[in-house]
Amino acid sequence: MRFTDRRQAGRALARELRTRGDAGLLPDPVVLALPRGGVAVAREVAEALGAPLDVLVVRKIGAPSHEEFAVGALAGDGVPLFDPHTLAHLGLDEGDLTAVVERERAELRRRERVYRRGRTAPALAGRTVIVVDDGLATGATARVALRSVRRRSPARVLLAVPVCSPEGAGSLRGEADEVVCLHRPAGFMAVGEWYDDFGQLTDEDVLAALDRSAGDA
């Protein structure tokens, strides 16, 4: 299974979730997208479910001098979540990453300001929260996102992605009430390899998707 682009993947994911919604399994839903890539997918899901769409900004914490190599992640005002095995492998401790964490938290807050434009975060207490991304690899960012959502007392939390690694999905069983993934390839290497078009999105793309979703509501 391959996807043309994020919108087509979102429509396929939306059909899967719509069956749950039609069966009454997703009462009072709200969709939270992990920007940037997850927003294009999540917009299709929110439209299909008739649910509000918002963003949940999560930032990867990269190793010093190797920013693409994730050693943890953070969301909101919560404490960073580190992978202790990766830190040990690299000979690092959390104190070595103070400057990286501060930089990523500043970028997280900048994105929240840009994307929300003065809007408050939606109330999640007692609701069905569907966290959406364009794919799942290790699960590090998804884990911190799900824990951030749990702190806001939802009734039920789902993680929904078009494609995922079997190991990443398995690692999140205790974090989400359900992980919905359309394709779990045994030979998973990276999310982007399962898309024909996996171009990077901009802040403007995110705002346009959020504006279109608000207009559809």
Side-chain angles (χ1 to χ4, degrees):
M1 179 185 292
R2 289 184 60 81
F3 303 102
T4 303
D5 55 20
R6 291 180 178 90
R7 291 194 64 184
Q8 186 263 324
R11 290 191 290 270
L13 188 60
R15 287 192 293 271
E16 178 68 23
L17 290 166
R18 183 68 181 267
T19 63
R20 290 166 170 76
D22 291 344
L25 300 178
L26 304 176
D28 195 15
V30 57
V31 177
L32 297 183
L34 300 188
R36 297 183 175 107
V39 176
V41 179
R43 178 180 176 263
E44 303 297 330
V45 171
E47 182 177 348
L49 297 178
L53 172 65
D54 208 313
V55 292
L56 176 58
V57 182
V58 179
R59 295 295 297 169
K60 177 176 65 178
I61 301 170
S65 303
H66 297 85
E67 295 182 359
E68 291 305 311
F69 191 83
V71 297
L74 74 160
D77 293 323
V79 297
L81 178 66
F82 292 103
D83 182 340
H85 300 293
T86 302
L87 290 181
H89 176 72
L90 296 175
L92 298 170
D93 61 37
E94 295 181 11
D96 297 324
L97 297 160
T98 299
V100 178
V101 170
E102 290 178 352
R103 183 175 69 246
E104 293 301 338
R105 197 180 296 281
E107 174 62 13
L108 183 153
R109 288 171 174 158
R110 183 197 72 81
R111 291 194 183 195
E112 286 183 334
R113 288 194 300 272
V114 170
Y115 299 157
R116 287 226 167 84
R117 291 179 290 189
R119 293 182 294 106
T120 58
L124 304 183
R127 305 187 72 174
T128 300
V129 180
I130 305 167
V131 178
V132 178
D133 203 356
D134 54 14
L136 173 71
T138 66
T141 54
R143 179 174 291 105
V144 80
L146 292 167
R147 291 185 181 182
S148 175
V149 169
R150 286 287 191 197
R151 289 195 294 269
R152 294 158 66 182
S153 303
R156 191 161 181 254
V157 182
L158 287 78
L159 175 68
V161 293
V163 61
C164 64
S165 71
E167 297 79 12
S171 73
L172 296 174
R173 288 196 187 99
E175 306 287 351
D177 295 301
E178 184 179 3
V179 177
V180 179
C181 177
L182 300 181
H183 187 37
R184 304 186 185 206
F188 184 96
M189 294 296 290
V191 172
E193 68 178 334
W194 301 99
Y195 287 83
D196 294 331
D197 178 1
F198 197 66
Q200 294 299 305
L201 303 184
T202 65
D203 286 346
E204 289 71 24
D205 294 325
V206 172
L207 291 171
L210 293 172
D211 286 344
R212 287 196 298 270
S213 181
D216 293 338

